[in-house]
Amino acid sequence: MTATAPAAEATVRKSSPGAARGPRRRPGRLRRVGLPYLLLLPALLLELLVHLVPMVIGIVMSFKELTQFYIRDWSTAPWAGLDNYSVSVDLDAPVGKALLHSFLVTVAFTVLSVGLCWLIGTAAAVFMQDTFRGRGLLRALFLVPYALPVYAAVITWVFMFQHDNGLVNHVLHDQLGLTDKPSFWLIGDNSFVALLTVSVWKGWPFAFLIVMAGLQNIPRELYEAAALDGAGMVQQLRRITLPSLRPVNQVLVLVLFLWTFNDFNTPYVLFGKSAPEAADLISVHIYQASFVTWNFGTGSAMSVLLLLFLLVVTGIYLALTSRGRRTAQ
């Protein structure tokens, strides 16, 4: 009797539904479900501290009359309401006119830079699809401008654009004789050409890399079948390559647009704190309005307006591309 009692009690405990569904499984399940979120928590907190908190502070600053007199404690600056925004968008005032000019210059610069980066990158990627000797070395050389640090690359271009002893004037004027006299590339109207050149030089390898990766997903059988049907290189490009690269190009153009429109490092290193009027990008203009004239409230309002513009353009672009994708399907 004494030997069989514990065995019977154990049998009853095992057969009991409550014992089978003991609370021991719940902590394991919670750990499995909550572990990914727990691992993401440090990154989310860092993202909050690095991006969202300064963004919120900048929005609050845009509603304050924040000048150099309140820089020690910006929270004590007087409340300005929408005055900073009204000054920024007033096209009859000097501040509004200058901001509009900078915005138009940035739009023209972005359209040309993104278009040329995409065109050169796509052409180079299509060219690199064919197998030939030295293709790997050429691919590596194409990626050098993208791999170089921005400051080192742009400073090199600053020396190349020098008026007296720069490489650009030496080649164009001294060797090729294309200009009557050495040109000033870092001042005047030529500054826009210089800025566009540097931007395209360091931006097209990224387009080349993305398009080249997208080309790897296109089956070679499509090109072989098109060649058997008599389709030439141009027809294959129009009928196979570009339609197949449409999802890749949609993301690529959006990323290039956001990077180029917000580019601050290139014009700042190329021209310094005061960019020429022809190359007055809105990023440098906001910097001048904030840190040169010490009017941080107006500069913050300009930054918020820039953020709203980019959000609206991005939303419209995503809506149009998703509608085009559904229509194509």
Side-chain angles (χ1 to χ4, degrees), residues 174-313:
D174 299 337
Q175 293 186 348
L176 300 180
L178 298 179
T179 57
D180 298 334
K181 57 182 180 179
S183 303
F184 290 94
W185 293 102
L186 300 179
I187 59 176
D189 296 336
N190 290 332
S191 59
F192 183 84
V193 179
L195 179 61
L196 182 62
T197 301
V198 178
S199 177
V200 173
W201 177 82
K202 71 182 185 65
W204 78 265
F206 176 76
F208 163 72
L209 185 64
I210 299 302
V211 173
M212 186 174 60
L215 289 174
Q216 306 302 319
N217 296 324
I218 302 177
R220 300 300 302 175
E221 291 79 5
L222 295 178
Y223 294 101
E224 295 175 358
L228 292 176
D229 292 338
M233 183 181 298
V234 178
Q235 292 180 340
Q236 292 179 13
L237 182 64
R238 290 181 54 190
R239 303 297 182 181
I240 300 177
T241 305
L242 293 181
S244 300
L245 289 176
R246 183 174 300 171
V248 176
N249 285 329
Q250 289 174 355
V251 178
L252 174 62
V253 170
L254 179 60
V255 172
L256 287 176
F257 166 76
L258 294 176
W259 283 358
T260 307
F261 209 96
N262 285 315
D263 189 12
F264 173 79
N265 295 328
T266 302
Y268 182 80
V269 178
L270 199 61
F271 305 114
K273 296 181 179 180
S274 58
E277 186 177 359
D280 185 22
L281 297 187
I282 195 168
S283 57
V284 181
H285 187 84
I286 294 175
Y287 170 82
Q288 292 175 349
S290 301
F291 295 95
V292 176
T293 61
W294 297 94
N295 197 337
F296 295 97
T298 305
S300 300
M302 293 178 182
S303 299
V304 174
L305 292 175
L306 175 61
L307 174 63
L308 294 176
F309 170 77
L310 293 178
L311 289 176
V312 170
V313 172

Side-chain angles (χ1 to χ4, degrees), residues 18-19 21-28:
R21 299 178 183 178
R24 294 180 179 180
R25 292 186 178 182
R26 294 180 181 177

Side-chain angles (χ1 to χ4, degrees), residues 111-132:
V111 171
L112 292 175
S113 179
V114 172
L116 290 174
C117 286
W118 177 84
L119 182 62
I120 299 174
T122 302
V126 172
F127 174 73
M128 284 296 169
Q129 286 301 105
D130 297 332
T131 303
F132 56 89

